[in-house]
Amino acid sequence: MVKVVGIDPGLAETGVGIIWGTAASVAGFAHGTIRTDKRQDQAHRLACIHEQLLSVLREETPQLMLVEGIFSLGRYPVSGISLGKVTGVVLLAGSQAAVPAVEVQVREVKRVLTGNGNASKDQVETAVRRYLKLSAPIRPFHVSDALALALLGMFRFQTLMTGCRLDGLQNV
């Protein structure tokens, strides 16, 4: 059995999803959100995210952490810079807890879980809910996105950890 944590970084809210099981089946899961107070300065908010995540990683001892890759919309470059800072403290927490971390682009997560790299947040949430056999919607979306990352990590655990896979073996 493997345990994978998925992180959807954000300065206001960072989604945390933990999945344990095998590539074929989910045995259990947990999720939550690290929230920061916008009235605090950025350094304090980053420290809060780091401390809370480091605590979770040390308590849960996952074998792998998947982090949503950084993206920036041209209209909002400051948001991309802020996201980069949050991702930095997330990766630092993973390193300090000795948890290997892999950054994954959101399009890849969407493609694997829904079959569409341009899927909406609702479509991703529905796919995660289906995999986890839940009837109630998963909110906020940061949480369903983090669980989606953890699912991808579980599906691809062996490849992500070894960097090696076999493609295209066919009987002829």
Side-chain angles (χ1 to χ4, degrees), residues 71-82:
F71 67 93
S72 179
L73 300 173
R75 298 182 308 245
Y76 308 105
V78 174
S79 294
I81 293 167
S82 177

Side-chain angles (χ1 to χ4, degrees), residues 10-82:
L11 188 58
E13 293 184 342
T14 291
V16 179
I18 305 168
I19 303 278
W20 53 94
T22 65
S25 69
V26 174
F29 64 95
H31 58 78
T33 304
I34 301 170
R35 289 187 171 86
T36 65
D37 186 341
K38 64 182 177 184
R39 294 172 296 188
Q40 297 289 326
D41 62 68
Q42 190 177 58
H44 181 82
R45 295 171 80 184
L46 291 169
C48 173
I49 293 166
H50 174 264
E51 291 166 12
Q52 293 298 314
L53 182 57
L54 185 57
S55 176
V56 167
L57 294 174
R58 287 184 171 155
E59 184 175 319
E60 294 293 331
T61 63
Q63 288 93 352
L64 179 64
M65 178 171 70
L66 268 71
V67 181
E68 186 174 286
I70 299 170
F71 67 93
S72 179
L73 300 173
R75 298 182 308 245
Y76 308 105
V78 174
S79 294
I81 293 167
S82 177

